[in-house]
Amino acid sequence: MYLTKPASAVPFGHWTSFHSAAAGGVRRLKVSSGVPQANMFYEEVAETKVVWFGVLPGEILLEFDLKDKKVSFPMWSSKTRIERLKKINPELLGDVEPRSVNWQQFKELFLPILTSEQKVVGVNLSGKNLTGIDMPASLLVKQVEAFW
């Protein structure tokens, strides 16, 4: 899948899914641990106006298949969160490089694609099993901007 905007307008060349072979290609969801992580995401992004995501070699964006046949695009509120996960889960995330975009770029470039492709956003996934909350990107925007 290619972006509708020119590659020069975005920090990566194309939008391609990476589907994990670990855990059957499906990331598990634990809501109880995800709520505090989501709240931290909203607060930190509202303060910094920057979101972080993972990119694999070849400019492939990190995404995960979910059990309900949806695709989750994981995002974090800081580079250190991704780096920490790489250390505890090197077999899955060892080749992932942290990338960031400012909040306005996220809304202009990522939000339309995530919405049109009905992808959800995994918010501040954490731990060995990458647990957290997945939500529609439009709800994520409302949640973050509620902290302004």
Side-chain angles (χ1 to χ4, degrees):
M1 295 171 241
Y2 290 88
L3 290 169
T4 56
K5 297 200 181 273
S8 61
V10 293
F12 47 86
H14 57 278
W15 190 285
T16 307
S17 296
F18 165 73
H19 302 286
S20 163
V26 176
R27 184 177 54 77
R28 294 187 199 109
L29 175 67
K30 279 190 182 174
V31 174
S32 61
S33 65
V35 172
Q37 293 298 330
N39 285 331
M40 288 301 298
F41 181 93
Y42 311 144
E43 291 176 21
E44 291 173 2
V45 172
E47 181 181 323
T48 66
K49 309 280 192 290
V50 174
V51 292
W52 292 84
F53 57 96
V55 177
L56 291 158
E59 297 297 295
I60 298 171
L61 296 174
L62 180 67
E63 292 182 331
F64 295 101
D65 290 330
L66 300 176
K67 289 182 183 179
D68 58 4
K69 299 194 184 214
K70 289 189 178 186
V71 175
S72 175
F73 177 64
M75 298 187 79
W76 291 271
S77 57
S78 70
K79 182 178 182 178
T80 56
R81 288 179 180 275
I82 299 173
E83 291 171 339
R84 199 172 331 147
L85 284 175
K86 286 178 62 162
K87 289 178 184 174
I88 64 173
N89 204 338
E91 61 280 356
L92 180 61
L93 302 174
D95 291 335
V96 172
E97 292 300 320
R99 296 272 180 90
S100 67
V101 294
N102 69 45
W103 186 247
Q104 192 61 36
Q105 288 173 314
F106 169 74
K107 287 174 48 177
E108 290 173 6
L109 302 175
F110 286 70
L111 184 61
I113 295 167
L114 292 167
T115 302
S116 71
E117 295 183 5
Q118 298 181 339
K119 294 181 181 182
V120 294
V121 177
V123 181
N124 269 357
L125 304 181
S126 63
K128 182 89 171 152
N129 292 323
L130 300 175
T131 58
I133 292 178
D134 292 291
M135 65 178 59
S138 58
L139 178 58
L140 176 73
V141 169
K142 289 177 185 174
Q143 293 290 92
V144 169
E145 292 182 354
F147 280 82
W148 291 356

